Amino acid sequence: MRLLTDEGNFQTLKLLVAADIGQVNLDKQLVNHDERVIPYLTGSRLPILEVYPGKFLFSPNSAARLLLASVITEENESAVDQWLDWEAACLLPSVFPYLNALNGHGKVDDSLVQEVRNLVAHMDKELAGKNTLSGSQLTVADVAVWSTLYPALSGKFALKDWEVSFTNVKTWFSDLSSRSEFQRAVKEVCAGDTSQLKSSLASQPAPLRVPEAVSSKQQVQKQTSKQKEDTQAAPEKVVASPEEVSSATEAWLTGIQHCTKPMKRVHPVLPEKGRRNILITSALPYVNNVPHLGNIIGCVLSADVFSRYCRLRNYNSVYICGTDEYGTATETKAIAEGLTPQQICDKYSALHRDIYKWFNIDFDYFGRTTTSQQTEIAQDIFWQLHKKGFISQNSVEQLHCEKCDRFLADRFVEGTCPFCSFDDARGDQCDGCGKLINAIDLIQPKCKLCRNPPIVRSSEHLFLDLPKVEPKLQEHLDAAFKTGTWTNNAKVITNSWIRDGLKPRCISRDLKWGTPVPLEGFTDKVFYVWFDAPIGYISITANYTEHWQHWWKNPDNVQMYNFLGKDNVPFHSVIFPATLLGADDNYTVVKHMSATEYLNYEDGKFSKSRDTGVFGDQARDTGIPADIYRFYLLYVRPETQDSSFSWDDFLLKNNSELLNNLGNFINRALMFVSNSFGGTIQPMDLNSDDYNLLALVNRELHTYIDNMETTRIRDSIRNILSISRLGNQFMQENKPWVLVKGTDTDRKRAGSVVSLAANLACLLSVLLQPYMPEVSATIQRQLNVPDTCNVVYQDLVCHLSPGHKIGQPSPLFQKIEASTIAELKKRFAGQGPPPSNKLKGRKGGDAAPGSAVSPEDTERIQAEVTKQANKVRELKSNKADKFTIDAEVKVLLDLKKKLTEATGQTATAPGGGKQKGNKQGKQPASQGEMKVIANSRTVDSAEVDRLTALVAEQGNKVREVKTSKADKSVVDREVVMLLDLKKQLALAQGMDPDAAVGGGKKKGKKK
């Protein structure tokens, strides 16, 4: 078969996906839209499928259906017809002008946006409780609708916040998008970049609409000629298969007899033969900072949910975590706060413990790495590696500060980058150009502690020979990837390290705070933190139980799960496993890894120094219960891509999903039992519709279990909400408030309805336990359920039998007011640089105070600069004419000038303030002028500390975006902010701000 289409035609997705699934080879031929490709037609809409010579199909939906015919037998043909008609008559005619408007003008009328949103909302409603549009089977309807929605739900043209508003569509869309057939089609049509669809959109005629505005597939069916005779009789409600109903009926009637009882956990929990033994770890949080919500969801909360689920499944699991306390970062923090490293660790470890307790994180043991067990086990592993030839020695040239009498670790030395001349590069990486560097290569290095120049001295160090261990590691990873559960980012990051080739890694440092190296000649050194820290999992377990080896030297009977952020993946998937495999002492090595992406705050990032975002110790002061935070963080858990904590969305999820959906269903059901039936569960005489409901609930329950088993924690919470929606629909359809006032038969029916609803509430209380433990306990108190219900069984069973007395119902959730959210948004929005009388250098050395500008004005101007800079970049990338670009650049420069004045800095010429003939790229200053600048103000130590922290924070941010290979425009923006902060710090210290950031190099001047 031959496929005729034009470049970037998104309707071609339908045929490519269908052909891939149907295993049909297509001869794709790209043609111009105005080209006469069909002999007997003067014009045609692309794509077209030539089935055999001279025979064409002009409808992409019909063509896709033909391509799938050999592999898919449509079980519900009428439903597929309805969806195809809806897609052709409603969806495509609305999506097409929406895309065209964005393509041509960059904006679209609100009415058109709302039209598309209404159609997606209809889909969202129809997808409740279903995996595909027609039920449980993938059909051409899914292929056609997905293909039309693809450019409207992804990339440049995506509807705003659709993922938040339409969760059923999101799950369906994501599932299909993850399939290789769909991914290959996208790559072929637009390489994943929806902006490549522009040309085809502009040349295609708009599709015809149905005579009147419609939104549902049933309405379309009535207005099209494709309606089949049995369409009117097709039920709108979701109907389970006979097999599902039969299974659900049997489980309801007899399942309680087969449902296992919760197994009592006795500490210390140890592995048992014949049971599924699961060792759960979450990345050890650094002791020297306060965790924010992104840190919490990235490791400890995600692991807590999985740990609670394992207990509900009667798995023999243990959850281990603790604070990571050794290393340079702790020494640096101790110096900044004027404390010893041990005092810093004691202070912040207690703070971490309090925060996690408030968030209901239920560790089996939360420990620390500064213990004697850590020293003993780390040194033993080292000796095993040394004995087996995996440790090598090498002389390393390092910077040594004579005044401080210490070798300078990477974070204790700063200087000028040898590559780009950026004058504030760290000892391991330059924030200016992003290149990795050796500290000894820095130009004019300085000790960060005393600011004196260090000297180069040789120091002997120890290396883990990773290339020697690599064969063992590769063998383990191949098996783990095949049989274990690994998130895609964990696999990709791990494979990139292996692909680039492993190199010997230094495992010792010239520091005092750490686990001592026991080898003669190296006893004045400590182990490098990323060799030492993961061993903390083992030593913390050893503090939990003296039989720690039952967990950690038992690879055949123990499965280890790591929960962590993506930045920690290589240390857990490469370095730590290589260490344990090299030690060759029968250690348990990770088999499953769940890594999250990043959680941002609103439109930016969490920042303690800027007071931006909610940190663990602040959440409890908002008056919002911990379970509400847990629910929302898990709802937006960044499983496959970065996500954001949004206060507006937080309000929406609380008031809609929790209050109106989950809370409304449970409270309404229990209040009816309490008020109309004296709090007593009634005999339940179920009809066919009731058993269909049980089958649909079981469908969600099975998916919940599948998601949890594969650590798709975010998706399981949607199964809970879907069950609650089914319950609300059940109550609404049966109207027990009407039945209870009717005949005896009606009243009995009302009793059946609310008693079945109470059993659904019981199931929800169990499924909620990993997510919202306090809410779960409250529901169970109101239901007065026995502890025996706290097992996740594979089907819904009757835990509340007739005659059971429930407790006193009460509302589970409270409405959050918009005014409360407005206050919280303001409270955690963070502040820009405070108004200050910073000095602007003048001729002759005179100094005058700069204009005081409010932080709000500064932030506003900064936002305008960012917006205008993006506009200029977009014009350049679109190759706009020079006149237009120059005009917008002028606006940008004016805004930058305003920002410079607002922050009290000296305005510089565009391009960094370079002046011809000046070797340093800036106006030379006399010693007298410098003296005036330095002595014209009293140094505010608090302000210096604040700005120092800001510079460090922004420096980390720059390194982060460079490491993640972000777009150059993003990197440039973050570097500009870093340089700006350094100027502010220089002014606060009474120094020349231009000298602080370096004026750049003279053209043609070799370094």
Side-chain angles (χ1 to χ4, degrees):
M1 298 186 192
R2 189 164 64 117
L3 170 61
L4 301 167
T5 188
D6 56 328
E7 189 80 35
N9 188 323
F10 73 103
Q11 289 294 287
T12 308
L13 291 169
K14 298 176 180 178
L15 282 75
L16 293 176
V17 171
D20 202 348
I21 295 174
Q23 299 181 348
V24 178
N25 292 324
L26 290 182
D27 177 20
K28 190 177 82 168
Q29 182 178 339
L30 291 178
V31 297
N32 293 325
H33 187 267
D34 55 358
E35 191 174 341
R36 187 171 180 175
V37 294
I38 308 299
Y40 49 83
L41 293 179
T42 55
S44 55
R45 175 191 295 278
L46 300 173
I48 296 169
L49 181 67
E50 187 176 26
V51 183
Y52 52 88
K55 299 298 181 181
F56 302 93
L57 279 178
F58 302 104
S59 163
N61 289 354
S62 297
R65 201 170 199 170
L66 174 67
L67 293 168
L68 289 169
S70 63
V71 293
I72 293 179
T73 302
E74 296 169 1
E75 297 171 355
N76 192 348
E77 189 176 352
S78 63
V80 175
D81 285 342
Q82 288 181 356
W83 279 113
L84 290 177
D85 289 343
W86 178 81
E87 185 275 341
C90 291
L91 186 63
L92 182 58
S94 296
V95 168
F96 193 89
Y98 166 84
L99 297 175
N100 246 335
L102 289 172
N103 173 30
H105 312 293
K107 59 182 179 180
V108 61
D109 290 339
D110 291 343
S111 60
L112 194 52
V113 173
Q114 192 56 49
E115 184 175 328
V116 176
R117 291 185 72 87
N118 289 342
L119 293 166
V120 180
H122 167 69
M123 267 190 71
D124 197 66
K125 181 180 178 182
E126 291 287 325
L127 278 166
K130 294 194 293 187
N131 297 324
T132 63
L133 294 175
S134 62
S136 59
Q137 177 196 34
L138 176 74
T139 67
V140 65
D142 299 281
V143 173
V145 175
W146 180 91
S147 299
T148 293
L149 279 177
Y150 174 77
L153 299 186
S154 59
K156 187 176 180 181
F157 302 137
L159 284 171
K160 185 178 181 182
D161 297 333
W162 74 270
E163 293 175 301
V164 174
S165 303
F166 311 116
T167 54
N168 293 325
V169 171
K170 179 184 177 183
T171 300
W172 168 85
F173 186 82
S174 299
D175 286 346
L176 294 185
S177 299
S178 66
R179 292 185 55 153
S180 58
E181 300 95 338
F182 291 77
Q183 292 175 352
R184 283 192 288 267
V186 167
K187 185 176 181 181
E188 188 167 346
V189 171
C190 63
D193 180 8
T194 52
S195 63
Q196 293 189 23
L197 308 178
K198 287 184 176 182
S199 177
S200 179
L201 283 168
S203 59
Q204 293 279 359
L208 296 175
R209 293 171 176 265
V210 291
E212 1 180 319
V214 293
S215 62
S216 76
K217 64 182 191 300
Q218 288 79 16
Q219 289 174 297
V220 175
Q221 195 75 54
K222 294 174 184 178
Q223 299 187 48
T224 60
S225 59
K226 297 181 183 179
Q227 180 178 5
K228 293 182 181 274
E229 292 180 3
D230 62 346
T231 298
Q232 295 287 357
E236 293 186 28
K237 66 183 297 180
V238 181
V239 178
S241 68
E243 294 79 10
E244 288 177 305
V245 173
S246 175
S247 175
T249 302
E250 183 179 356
W252 174 258
L253 297 175
T254 64
I256 193 68
Q257 303 168 17
H258 309 291
C259 189
T260 57
K261 303 295 186 289
M263 298 188 72
K264 188 176 181 181
R265 304 180 80 244
V266 179
H267 290 285
V269 178
L270 296 175
E272 298 177 18
K273 285 187 177 180
R275 294 187 67 188
R276 186 174 173 187
N277 302 300
I278 298 179
L279 173 59
I280 302 167
T281 69
S282 62
L284 305 182
Y286 288 121
V287 74
N288 62 330
N289 58 25
V290 180
H292 55 63
L293 297 183
N295 301 138
I296 291 169
I297 186 58
C299 51
V300 295
L301 177 54
S302 295
D304 181 62
V305 172
F306 185 69
S307 173
R308 289 175 180 272
Y309 166 77
C310 288
R311 297 171 195 172
L312 289 172
R313 294 285 283 172
N314 275 337
Y315 299 155
N316 191 42
S317 62
V318 66
Y319 178 18
I320 297 295
C321 190
T323 43
D324 175 10
E325 304 191 354
Y326 283 135
T328 313
T330 304
E331 285 198 38
T332 306
K333 187 75 170 179
I335 292 168
E337 294 196 17
L339 299 172
T340 66
Q342 187 62 60
Q343 289 172 328
I344 282 289
C345 293
D346 294 342
K347 171 184 173 181
Y348 283 96
S349 182
L351 186 147
H352 277 267
R353 195 180 298 269
D354 288 345
I355 289 171
Y356 302 141
K357 182 179 180 181
W358 185 82
F359 273 96
N360 296 314
I361 309 297
D362 191 15
F363 306 105
D364 283 302
Y365 190 78
F366 185 82
R368 307 171 64 175
T369 57
T370 50
T371 64
S372 59
Q373 287 89 340
Q374 174 74 11
T375 301
E376 179 184 343
I377 295 171
Q379 290 183 348
D380 178 68
I381 289 174
F382 166 77
W383 282 123
Q384 295 293 337
L385 291 166
H386 187 270
K387 182 172 67 176
K388 294 172 175 62
F390 291 117
I391 300 296
S392 60
Q393 300 179 18
N394 206 346
S395 178
V396 178
E397 288 191 326
Q398 290 181 268
L399 295 175
H400 184 273
C401 179
E402 300 289 278
K403 183 174 181 180
C404 298
D405 191 22
R406 66 187 299 167
F407 282 101
L408 299 180
D410 298 338
R411 298 194 184 194
F412 282 103
V413 59
E414 297 171 340
T416 301
C417 175
F419 300 106
C420 71
S421 297
F422 179 66
D423 72 342
D424 197 17
R426 289 195 327 180
D428 59 348
Q429 188 174 22
C430 173
D431 292 337
C433 64
K435 291 185 178 179
L436 298 176
I437 52 181
N438 292 318
I440 61 167
D441 293 330
L442 287 171
I443 299 168
Q444 296 180 336
K446 291 184 177 64
C447 171
K448 188 174 181 178
L449 301 177
C450 68
R451 310 307 298 172
N452 281 344
I455 62 171
V456 176
R457 280 175 50 176
S458 293
S459 178
E460 288 291 316
H461 278 282
L462 300 170
F463 289 76
L464 174 62
D465 199 336
L466 288 176
K468 277 188 180 180
V469 191
E470 188 170 347
K472 284 187 175 184
L473 176 64
Q474 187 65 66
E475 182 182 356
H476 169 77
L477 290 174
D478 288 343
F481 285 173
K482 185 177 181 180
T483 61
T485 297
W486 289 64
T487 52
N488 185 61
N489 56 358
K491 285 184 179 180
V492 169
I493 294 169
T494 302
N495 285 331
S496 68
W497 269 58
I498 301 293
R499 184 188 63 245
D500 295 340
L502 299 180
K503 299 175 178 60
R505 190 173 184 89
C506 184
I507 62 169
S508 59
R509 286 292 186 271
D510 287 298
L511 295 172
K512 295 180 174 60
W513 185 247
T515 299
V517 176
L519 184 64
E520 187 65 33
F522 296 86
T523 53
D524 59 338
K525 305 179 192 302
V526 299
F527 286 122
Y528 178 42
V529 67
W530 271 116
F531 172 82
D532 182 65
I535 296 173
Y537 297 126
I538 306 176
S539 71
I540 290 170
T541 310
N543 276 273
Y544 168 61
T545 172
E546 62 180 329
H547 303 296
W548 62 270
Q549 295 186 14
H550 293 191
W551 284 109
W552 283 99
K553 293 190 177 183
N554 194 0
D556 294 334
N557 296 309
V558 173
Q559 292 186 326
M560 178 161 60
Y561 283 75
N562 286 163
F563 287 83
L564 64 165
K566 66 179 179 182
D567 52 330
N568 282 334
V569 166
F571 306 105
H572 289 77
S573 66
V574 177
I575 306 299
F576 188 39
T579 299
L580 298 181
L581 292 168
D584 195 20
D585 199 13
N586 201 38
Y587 274 105
T588 302
V589 185
V590 62
K591 293 181 181 177
H592 312 268
M593 186 170 292
S594 179
T596 61
E597 301 290 320
Y598 294 127
L599 180 75
N600 296 317
Y601 180 76
E602 298 287 358
D603 295 327
K605 293 194 175 183
F606 290 90
S607 172
K608 189 67 174 176
S609 59
R610 295 189 183 90
D611 292 327
T612 302
V614 185
F615 285 72
D617 55 345
Q618 299 169 324
R620 54 187 163 193
D621 297 331
T622 61
I624 298 172
D627 269 13
I628 308 299
Y629 280 105
R630 285 177 63 109
F631 168 82
Y632 183 71
L633 290 173
L634 291 160
Y635 194 96
V636 298
R637 183 175 185 254
E639 292 190 357
T640 56
Q641 61 184 10
D642 291 357
S643 60
S644 293
F645 180 97
S646 162
W647 280 114
D648 290 335
D649 188 46
F650 186 90
L651 176 145
L652 178 66
K653 293 300 179 290
N654 180 82
N655 293 352
S656 60
E657 295 290 11
L658 293 181
L659 184 64
N660 295 339
N661 177 12
L662 182 64
N664 178 62
F665 166 63
I666 293 175
N667 185 249
R668 188 162 57 157
L670 270 57
M671 288 299 291
F672 263 104
V673 173
S674 180
N675 295 338
S676 299
F677 298 98
T680 303
I681 298 297
Q682 300 298 296
M684 287 164 276
D685 183 14
L686 305 188
N687 59 32
S688 59
D689 284 344
D690 299 339
Y691 286 119
N692 185 70
L693 169 68
L694 298 183
L696 296 179
V697 168
N698 283 344
R699 187 185 287 177
E700 293 294 337
L701 176 56
H702 297 162
T703 308
Y704 171 95
I705 293 171
D706 289 343
N707 287 333
M708 287 298 236
E709 292 289 338
T710 52
T711 68
R712 294 198 299 271
I713 294 170
R714 182 189 61 196
D715 291 341
S716 281
I717 208 168
R718 285 154 174 78
N719 300 124
I720 295 173
L721 297 172
S722 292
I723 292 174
S724 180
R725 286 191 194 94
L726 289 170
N728 273 315
Q729 292 167 11
F730 175 66
M731 292 283 284
Q732 201 64 34
E733 289 169 359
N734 286 277
K735 298 180 173 57
W737 53 91
V738 174
L739 292 171
V740 79
K741 299 174 183 177
T743 65
D744 287 346
T745 302
D746 289 341
R747 184 172 173 80
K748 286 180 181 178
R749 176 59 186 161
S752 292
V753 169
V754 297
S755 297
L756 176 54
N759 271 281
L760 284 183
C762 181
L763 172 66
L764 288 169
S765 75
V766 179
L767 302 184
L768 266 176
Q769 209 171 107
Y771 295 90
M772 307 178 79
E774 289 185 349
V775 171
S776 169
T778 300
I779 298 170
Q780 294 193 1
R781 281 195 300 272
Q782 294 182 14
L783 286 166
N784 189 30
V785 296
D787 289 339
T788 54
C789 76
N790 285 311
V791 174
V792 173
Y793 187 59
Q794 61 186 6
D795 293 306
L796 171 62
V797 299
C798 181
H799 280 292
L800 306 180
S801 55
H804 174 83
K805 280 281 191 178
I806 69 168
Q808 181 59 47
S810 60
L812 295 172
F813 306 106
Q814 291 184 339
K815 182 180 180 181
I816 298 179
E817 301 294 339
S819 57
T820 301
I821 292 299
E823 291 173 6
L824 292 171
K825 287 171 73 174
K826 183 177 180 181
R827 175 178 170 186
F828 295 108
Q831 299 295 323
S836 60
N837 293 325
K838 291 187 171 74
L839 305 179
K840 293 193 288 184
R842 295 185 173 185
K843 289 183 179 180
D846 295 334
S851 302
V853 178
S854 71
E856 291 77 15
D857 286 340
T858 302
E859 289 180 359
R860 178 182 55 78
I861 299 171
Q862 178 66 65
E864 291 177 1
V865 168
T866 302
K867 182 178 180 181
Q868 185 65 20
N870 289 335
K871 186 175 182 180
V872 169
R873 276 189 289 274
E874 189 171 337
L875 286 170
K876 289 181 177 179
S877 64
N878 293 335
K879 298 182 180 179
D881 62 272
K882 187 175 184 301
F883 177 81
T884 302
I885 294 175
D886 289 345
E888 297 300 338
V889 168
K890 185 178 185 302
V891 173
L892 176 61
L893 294 176
D894 289 339
L895 285 170
K896 286 185 174 180
K897 184 177 180 182
K898 286 182 182 179
L899 180 62
T900 304
E901 292 170 352
T903 54
Q905 299 171 16
T906 305
T908 59
K914 295 182 184 179
Q915 297 183 14
K916 289 183 179 180
N918 187 337
K919 291 183 180 180
Q920 298 303 319
K922 62 178 182 284
Q923 191 72 18
S926 67
Q927 289 184 355
E929 183 180 15
M930 288 299 294
K931 191 176 292 185
V932 172
I933 293 174
N935 296 328
S936 59
R937 60 173 287 168
T938 303
V939 174
D940 182 346
S941 59
E943 174 70 356
V944 170
D945 290 343
R946 187 186 73 83
L947 288 169
T948 300
L950 284 174
V951 168
E953 177 85 18
Q954 187 63 22
N956 289 334
K957 190 173 183 181
V958 169
R959 279 186 288 276
E960 192 175 289
V961 296
K962 288 180 176 178
T963 303
S964 63
K965 297 181 180 178
D967 185 76
K968 185 176 184 299
S969 62
V970 176
V971 176
D972 290 345
R973 182 168 68 248
E974 299 300 340
V975 170
V976 168
M977 291 179 66
L978 176 63
L979 296 175
D980 176 61
L981 285 168
K982 287 183 176 179
K983 285 186 177 183
Q984 294 180 47
L985 176 59
L987 285 165
Q989 292 171 327
M991 298 166 59
D992 180 5
D994 290 329
V997 297
K1001 295 187 289 186
K1002 180 181 177 182
K1003 279 187 177 180
K1005 177 78 173 178
K1006 290 185 179 180
K1007 192 71 189 173

